[in-house]
Amino acid sequence: MAERIEQRLEDRIPELEQLERVGLFTHKEIRAVLRKASALEYKIQRRALRKEDFINYIQYEVNLLELIKKRRARIGYSFKKDEIEHSILHRVHSLFNRATGKWKDDVQLWLSHVAFCKQWNAKHQLSKVFSTMLAIHSNKPALWIMAAKWEMETRLSSESARHLFLRALRFHPECPKLYQEYFRMELMHAEKQRKEKKEFEQAKMDLGEFNYSEEILNGEMARIVYRDASQKIKGVEFQLAVLSIAKLFDFTQDLQKEILESLQARYADDPLTWDYMARRELELGSLQPTEHSTKQKKVSEMAQREERCCAVFDEAVGAVPTEDMWKCYITFCLERYNRKTNSEELKQKRLERTLSVFSKAHESSLLSEALYKQWLQLLLDSSLSEKAVEVAEAATRHFSQSVETWQMRLQVLIQLKRDDVTQCFEEAIKHVKSKGTLPLWTLWVEWSEGTNSKEDTEALYQRSLHATTPAESVTMKEMYLDWTYRSSGYKKVKRLFTSLCENRPFSLDFFRKMIQIEKEQESCKMLHLREYYERALREFGSTNTDLWLDYIKEELSHPQGKPENCGSIHWRAMKMLQGDLVEDFVSKYTLLQTGHL
């Protein structure tokens, strides 16, 4: 191994001598490079190879290349690149090849090699990397697309890109993304040939035997790709994706027409088809375009376009009366309403249209829970509070089992300060199953704290503890404790804490809250703190190291504390804590003893 490493270091000497001779590096720097290279070589020649060692070596060589590049720019020296940089580049490629040969499944390693080749313009090497990578990772369409794009955009070889796409489609015959990018590539090739032909014609050059096929110029290859893909890939999303690509090229009108006809014929009942057809009316513009139109005319023209869109949507909800179709219609209306405009008339018209569509969807019983929420928000933002109350009530009728819907209705009533809030809370609790009602109870008690008497709020807290599931009651206990301390003081909260401790389960925050309350008192008693810590440790002593450490800190820092108790607390912690927590506790306890915690 040593001989091999010595040989590799000797191979570096010519490039290092050149670096010193031309003044890019000093003799001292050359020696430092040799020492570092020797250390890195030893690491990658070991029997048990590690990926990190190869990555570190590659990173070092890349940094060296960058440094040489900067120093060349600084002194204005651009010669001897074959003897210096090319030697280092060759070594980096060799390291990458060894690493990817050893860890073939690491895609990130392959992509790092690709990025390096692109950065240093190693086209021939990159072609080899792509070829090897695709032979191993043929199951990843994204890598095929990356290779084909490089062939098309960097090497300007549409033939090689086409060949790669065809190979990829043999492995992934039903991959929509592959077909989309292949379709795009063929259109880019056609556009490139159209530009070439136009430049030749402008220069009045004789093309001789070379001629451009009209079919290729008009995107016939892309049409073939589309027809083949549409037979294998079902779904309106693919059709729309291909159509959006075709619209980027100005010579594809016939192709766009074919895709659009296929879309309407095959997916006439799909909401996305109708959504596209409606939105298309915005792009078509006015029938009589005006170059020097006034603001008023522009507003009028935009209103007409939106009316045409809505006419298509109205037809759509009649032909396809589904929840998804109404969602598309409402989403469009909300998008238009949220667009900025200086015209109050247009904004008002958009608002009226949106509210009208919401009402129609509601009447058809095809409005989703999420859309009811958006409707309510729109009504509240528009100061239509009475209508908001009606809509909230209707939503809870349709989704009587949904906690979120009841919560939404209650928030509306609370916001509007209505008298029937309590009645609505009672109705909500009656309709919704006990599991999952925690958001309703927290909202109810928070509202009651600011509205009702202390007695009513306390009764509500007591009721919530019995009405919620044991897991949810934990949160209510924390809130109850906090509210009692704020409203009734220390003595009352201490009695409540003792009472609540009779029924499990508890949370750690429940105990920590009581400890914090005790510490806030002027006459904070260590006796009480010990009681709270002991209660907490009975529940969480086996799973929480910080609780033990806080207990020890309290004994050490409190005026009434007993530092001699710390030994027994430490011993108990070592016995109770589970698994790796013991080691964690020992580390933290040591830091505490040395004053670093």
Side-chain angles (χ1 to χ4, degrees):
M1 184 176 82
E3 292 86 354
R4 195 183 311 138
I5 291 169
E6 287 301 319
Q7 181 61 50
R8 289 174 70 86
L9 291 173
E10 283 177 18
D11 291 343
R12 278 176 170 268
I13 290 173
E15 79 198 44
L16 294 173
E17 285 176 347
Q18 289 289 357
L19 281 169
E20 187 177 359
R21 188 178 298 124
V22 300
L24 289 171
F25 278 43
T26 64
H27 182 69
K28 188 178 178 182
E29 287 172 330
I30 295 297
R31 288 175 64 83
V33 169
L34 267 173
R35 280 198 303 273
K36 183 68 176 176
S38 175
L40 291 167
E41 281 290 347
Y42 271 100
K43 285 183 178 179
I44 66 163
Q45 296 297 340
R46 291 185 299 199
R47 186 169 294 174
L49 297 176
R50 295 194 319 147
K51 193 195 305 181
E52 291 74 19
D53 295 332
F54 280 88
I55 292 169
N56 291 338
Y57 197 168
I58 290 165
Q59 189 59 57
Y60 177 74
E61 295 288 8
V62 170
N63 292 343
L64 191 64
L65 281 167
E66 291 291 344
L67 182 59
I68 293 169
K69 186 178 176 182
K70 285 179 181 178
R71 291 196 176 178
R72 279 185 180 280
R74 191 176 67 194
I75 67 172
Y77 185 83
S78 59
F79 304 106
K80 301 283 184 183
K81 287 192 176 181
D82 285 345
E83 291 91 334
I84 300 171
E85 277 93 338
H86 286 199
S87 174
I88 300 173
L89 287 171
H90 178 74
R91 191 159 52 248
V92 173
H93 289 308
S94 174
L95 287 167
F96 266 123
N97 289 337
R98 276 189 67 192
T100 51
K102 174 74 175 171
W103 296 281
K104 294 182 175 69
D105 294 335
D106 190 337
V107 177
Q108 194 55 50
L109 204 56
W110 287 100
L111 293 178
S112 297
H113 196 182
V114 168
F116 176 77
C117 292
K118 286 181 178 179
Q119 184 183 359
W120 293 95
N121 202 27
K123 292 182 181 179
H124 180 67
Q125 187 67 33
L126 182 51
S127 192
K128 287 182 181 178
V129 173
F130 273 131
S131 179
T132 313
M133 180 175 68
L134 291 173
I136 296 166
H137 294 284
S138 56
N139 62 331
K140 295 178 174 62
L143 299 181
W144 288 99
I145 292 168
M146 181 194 290
K149 276 188 171 183
W150 178 74
E151 290 286 353
M152 181 69 190
E153 295 169 7
T154 307
R155 298 194 76 185
L156 305 176
S157 173
S158 54
E159 194 61 42
S160 298
R162 186 180 295 118
H163 178 65
L164 278 169
F165 274 122
L166 289 171
R167 277 180 62 201
L169 287 169
R170 283 202 291 274
F171 288 101
H172 308 279
E174 295 181 357
C175 177
K177 191 65 180 173
L178 268 175
Y179 272 111
Q180 287 169 32
E181 294 303 325
Y182 186 16
F183 180 77
R184 189 197 305 273
M185 187 278 293
E186 290 295 359
L187 289 176
M188 286 170 67
H189 175 60
E191 186 178 50
K192 177 186 164 190
Q193 292 217 328
R194 288 171 75 90
K195 284 180 181 176
E196 284 179 3
K197 185 183 178 187
K198 187 178 178 182
E199 286 170 5
F200 281 136
E201 287 172 352
Q202 286 174 347
K204 297 180 181 176
M205 291 176 66
D206 183 18
L207 300 177
E209 294 181 1
F210 185 76
N211 64 336
Y212 291 92
S213 166
E214 283 298 320
E215 288 185 340
I216 290 176
L217 292 175
N218 292 328
E220 196 59 37
M221 291 292 287
R223 193 189 301 271
I224 292 167
V225 173
Y226 163 69
R227 286 175 178 171
D228 182 43
S230 60
Q231 289 174 3
K232 294 175 182 174
I233 299 169
K234 308 301 177 189
V236 69
E237 293 87 355
F238 175 74
Q239 300 282 336
L240 291 174
V242 170
L243 186 56
S244 67
I245 293 168
K247 285 168 72 176
L248 299 172
F249 301 86
D250 57 8
F251 58 89
T252 59
Q253 282 77 16
D254 290 343
L255 182 56
Q256 288 180 48
K257 187 178 177 184
E258 181 180 329
I259 298 169
L260 203 56
E261 286 173 358
S262 171
L263 185 68
Q264 289 176 292
R266 295 171 64 187
Y267 303 102
D269 293 337
D270 195 300
L272 290 176
T273 303
W274 284 99
D275 186 53
Y276 176 80
M277 296 306 297
R279 290 171 182 271
R280 190 162 165 263
E281 294 295 328
L282 279 177
E283 300 169 12
L284 295 175
S286 60
L287 298 173
Q288 297 176 339
T290 53
E291 292 180 10
H292 306 288
S293 56
T294 62
K295 282 185 180 178
Q296 189 59 38
K297 281 185 179 177
K298 285 181 180 177
V299 168
S300 175
E301 183 186 316
M302 181 55 71
Q304 287 174 13
R305 291 189 202 179
E306 290 178 5
E307 287 297 334
R308 290 202 299 273
C309 291
C310 291
V312 176
F313 272 121
D314 286 333
E315 185 184 346
V317 293
V320 188
T322 63
E323 192 175 293
D324 286 341
M325 190 68 255
W326 279 105
K327 184 181 178 181
C328 289
Y329 193 176
I330 289 167
T331 303
F332 168 77
C333 291
L334 286 169
E335 283 174 10
R336 300 312 299 175
Y337 173 70
N338 291 326
R339 283 179 71 90
K340 288 184 179 179
T341 176
N342 293 326
S343 170
E344 285 299 321
E345 182 188 349
L346 182 60
K347 191 166 184 68
Q348 186 61 30
K349 191 178 286 186
R350 285 172 174 172
L351 174 62
E352 288 170 5
R353 182 193 299 128
T354 307
L355 293 175
S356 171
V357 173
F358 268 121
S359 294
K360 288 175 184 175
H362 164 64
E363 287 164 14
S364 304
S365 299
L366 292 170
L367 202 58
S368 68
E369 190 177 347
L371 289 176
Y372 267 113
K373 191 173 183 179
Q374 287 182 286
W375 189 10
L376 267 175
Q377 193 57 53
L378 184 61
L379 289 167
L380 292 171
D381 291 344
S382 307
S383 302
L384 298 168
S385 53
E386 289 302 319
K387 182 67 177 173
V389 173
E390 288 178 31
V391 169
E393 189 178 346
T396 51
R397 278 201 303 273
H398 279 87
F399 302 99
S400 60
Q401 297 291 313
S402 168
V403 173
E404 289 79 11
T405 306
W406 281 105
Q407 199 175 354
M408 187 170 65
R409 180 182 173 185
L410 288 160
Q411 283 167 343
V412 169
L413 295 176
I414 291 168
Q415 188 176 333
L416 299 174
K417 296 181 179 177
R418 302 281 294 220
D419 297 332
D420 53 348
V421 175
T422 304
Q423 184 185 337
C424 187
F425 269 118
E426 295 286 1
E427 196 179 340
I429 296 299
K430 188 172 71 177
H431 280 89
V432 180
K433 293 174 183 175
S434 62
K435 189 177 180 181
T437 56
L438 181 62
L440 295 178
W441 282 107
T442 54
L443 183 63
W444 196 352
V445 294
E446 282 169 2
W447 169 78
S448 182
E449 283 176 19
T451 311
N452 294 342
S453 63
K454 281 201 288 188
E455 291 75 14
D456 290 344
T457 304
E458 185 161 10
L460 195 59
Y461 268 116
Q462 289 286 353
R463 184 179 162 193
S464 71
L465 294 174
H466 298 99
T468 51
T469 61
E472 290 175 338
S473 69
V474 166
T475 306
M476 296 312 301
K477 285 175 185 176
E478 290 173 28
M479 292 180 70
Y480 192 4
L481 202 68
D482 184 55
W483 171 79
T484 304
Y485 179 57
R486 283 186 283 110
S487 62
S488 304
Y490 173 71
K491 288 184 179 178
K492 180 76 178 284
V493 80
K494 194 171 182 307
R495 287 198 300 273
L496 175 67
F497 174 77
T498 307
S499 170
L500 291 176
C501 282
E502 292 174 6
N503 296 302
R504 286 186 173 88
F506 311 108
S507 69
L508 184 58
D509 287 338
F510 172 73
F511 293 107
R512 287 201 179 278
K513 183 66 189 172
M514 195 59 215
I515 291 166
Q516 186 59 40
I517 289 169
E518 182 64 44
K519 289 165 91 170
E520 287 174 8
Q521 306 311 306
E522 286 183 19
S523 57
C524 172
K525 294 182 180 178
M526 189 63 205
L527 188 67
H528 294 160
L529 286 174
R530 282 196 195 100
E531 179 196 342
Y532 306 146
Y533 272 114
E534 289 295 341
R535 285 181 182 273
L537 288 169
R538 279 201 290 273
E539 304 295 328
F540 303 101
S542 60
T543 57
N544 194 291
T545 56
D546 291 338
L547 197 58
W548 290 101
L549 290 163
D550 290 343
Y551 191 6
I552 291 170
K553 283 183 200 173
E554 212 67 64
E555 288 286 9
L556 291 170
S557 61
H558 196 281
Q560 299 168 13
K562 294 181 179 178
E564 61 270 24
N565 289 353
C566 294
S568 64
I569 296 170
H570 178 274
W571 183 82
R572 286 169 58 203
M574 297 291 285
K575 291 289 182 185
M576 277 189 74
L577 287 166
Q578 298 172 351
D580 296 337
L581 292 173
V582 175
E583 191 177 335
D584 184 39
F585 173 74
V586 170
S587 301
K588 288 179 178 178
Y589 184 68
T590 306
L591 288 171
L592 179 65
Q593 285 182 311
T594 55
H596 291 95
L597 189 67

